[in-house]
Short mmCIF file of all heavy atoms in Angstrom, two decimals:
data_model
loop_
_atom_site.label_atom_id
_atom_site.label_comp_id
_atom_site.label_asym_id
_atom_site.label_seq_id
_atom_site.Cartn_x
_atom_site.Cartn_y
_atom_site.Cartn_z
N ARG A 65 -25.46 -19.07 -19.18
CA ARG A 65 -25.49 -17.83 -19.82
C ARG A 65 -24.80 -17.95 -21.09
O ARG A 65 -23.84 -18.78 -21.29
CB ARG A 65 -24.80 -16.72 -18.84
CG ARG A 65 -25.49 -16.52 -17.58
CD ARG A 65 -26.74 -15.77 -17.72
NE ARG A 65 -27.47 -15.61 -16.46
CZ ARG A 65 -27.28 -14.59 -15.66
NH1 ARG A 65 -26.45 -13.66 -15.92
NH2 ARG A 65 -27.97 -14.51 -14.44
N GLU A 69 -20.53 -11.33 -18.19
CA GLU A 69 -20.61 -9.90 -17.82
C GLU A 69 -19.73 -9.58 -16.63
O GLU A 69 -19.71 -8.43 -16.23
CB GLU A 69 -22.10 -9.53 -17.47
CG GLU A 69 -22.96 -9.65 -18.78
CD GLU A 69 -24.46 -9.10 -18.43
OE1 GLU A 69 -24.81 -9.24 -17.31
OE2 GLU A 69 -24.97 -8.52 -19.33
N ASP A 70 -19.07 -10.56 -16.10
CA ASP A 70 -18.09 -10.44 -15.04
C ASP A 70 -16.75 -9.93 -15.54
O ASP A 70 -16.35 -10.40 -16.72
CB ASP A 70 -17.81 -11.67 -14.27
CG ASP A 70 -19.06 -12.17 -13.39
OD1 ASP A 70 -19.98 -11.40 -13.35
OD2 ASP A 70 -18.86 -13.18 -12.66
N ASP A 95 -19.30 -7.13 -11.67
CA ASP A 95 -20.18 -7.98 -12.30
C ASP A 95 -21.26 -7.01 -12.97
O ASP A 95 -22.10 -6.42 -12.20
CB ASP A 95 -20.87 -8.81 -11.10
CG ASP A 95 -22.04 -9.68 -11.52
OD1 ASP A 95 -22.54 -9.55 -12.77
OD2 ASP A 95 -22.59 -10.41 -10.74
N GLY A 96 -21.34 -6.97 -14.20
CA GLY A 96 -22.14 -6.06 -14.87
C GLY A 96 -23.62 -6.48 -15.09
O GLY A 96 -23.98 -7.54 -14.96
N THR A 164 -21.64 -4.06 -10.29
CA THR A 164 -21.07 -4.18 -9.01
C THR A 164 -19.59 -3.79 -9.07
O THR A 164 -19.07 -3.83 -10.16
CB THR A 164 -21.12 -5.56 -8.38
OG1 THR A 164 -20.19 -6.35 -8.91
CG2 THR A 164 -22.54 -6.16 -8.52
N ASP A 182 -23.26 -6.57 -4.95
CA ASP A 182 -23.44 -7.88 -4.31
C ASP A 182 -22.33 -8.90 -4.62
O ASP A 182 -22.49 -10.11 -4.47
CB ASP A 182 -24.86 -8.49 -4.46
CG ASP A 182 -25.07 -8.80 -5.92
OD1 ASP A 182 -24.27 -8.56 -6.82
OD2 ASP A 182 -26.13 -9.56 -6.14
N SER A 183 -21.25 -8.42 -5.20
CA SER A 183 -20.06 -9.19 -5.22
C SER A 183 -19.56 -9.26 -3.82
O SER A 183 -20.03 -8.30 -3.00
CB SER A 183 -18.97 -8.73 -6.25
OG SER A 183 -19.56 -8.68 -7.54
N ASN A 224 -31.53 -10.74 -7.07
CA ASN A 224 -30.46 -10.12 -7.68
C ASN A 224 -30.64 -8.61 -7.77
O ASN A 224 -29.85 -7.85 -8.36
CB ASN A 224 -30.34 -10.66 -9.11
CG ASN A 224 -29.97 -12.09 -9.11
OD1 ASN A 224 -29.14 -12.50 -8.22
ND2 ASN A 224 -30.48 -12.92 -10.05
N SER A 255 -17.87 -13.01 -7.40
CA SER A 255 -19.06 -12.54 -7.86
C SER A 255 -20.32 -13.43 -7.32
O SER A 255 -19.94 -14.59 -6.75
CB SER A 255 -19.22 -12.58 -9.43
OG SER A 255 -18.97 -13.86 -10.01
N ASP A 256 -21.55 -13.05 -7.42
CA ASP A 256 -22.54 -13.78 -6.78
C ASP A 256 -22.83 -15.15 -7.49
O ASP A 256 -23.38 -16.10 -7.04
CB ASP A 256 -23.93 -13.07 -6.76
CG ASP A 256 -24.48 -12.72 -8.27
OD1 ASP A 256 -23.56 -12.63 -9.19
OD2 ASP A 256 -25.62 -12.48 -8.40
N GLY A 257 -22.26 -15.32 -8.66
CA GLY A 257 -22.24 -16.62 -9.42
C GLY A 257 -21.42 -17.68 -8.72
O GLY A 257 -21.60 -18.88 -8.92
N ASP A 295 -24.99 -18.60 -13.26
CA ASP A 295 -24.54 -17.37 -13.62
C ASP A 295 -23.01 -17.37 -13.90
O ASP A 295 -22.35 -18.36 -13.77
CB ASP A 295 -24.80 -16.42 -12.28
CG ASP A 295 -24.80 -14.96 -12.61
OD1 ASP A 295 -24.52 -14.57 -13.73
OD2 ASP A 295 -24.99 -14.18 -11.61
N ASN A 296 -22.48 -16.24 -14.41
CA ASN A 296 -21.13 -16.18 -14.58
C ASN A 296 -20.42 -16.25 -13.26
O ASN A 296 -20.88 -15.86 -12.19
CB ASN A 296 -20.78 -14.83 -15.23
CG ASN A 296 -21.56 -14.40 -16.47
OD1 ASN A 296 -22.01 -13.25 -16.58
ND2 ASN A 296 -21.75 -15.43 -17.30
N ILE A 297 -19.14 -16.82 -13.24
CA ILE A 297 -18.51 -17.11 -11.90
C ILE A 297 -17.01 -16.47 -12.09
O ILE A 297 -16.39 -16.76 -13.02
CB ILE A 297 -18.28 -18.61 -11.74
CG1 ILE A 297 -19.68 -19.36 -11.93
CG2 ILE A 297 -17.83 -18.91 -10.35
CD1 ILE A 297 -19.43 -20.72 -12.48
CA1 CA B 406 -23.80 -12.17 -11.47
#
Side-chain angles (χ1 to χ4, degrees):
R65 301 286 176 91
E69 297 184 325
D70 287 359
D95 173 356
T164 74
D182 67 351
S183 301
N224 296 321
S255 60
D256 65 337
D295 196 358
N296 309 138
I297 313 150

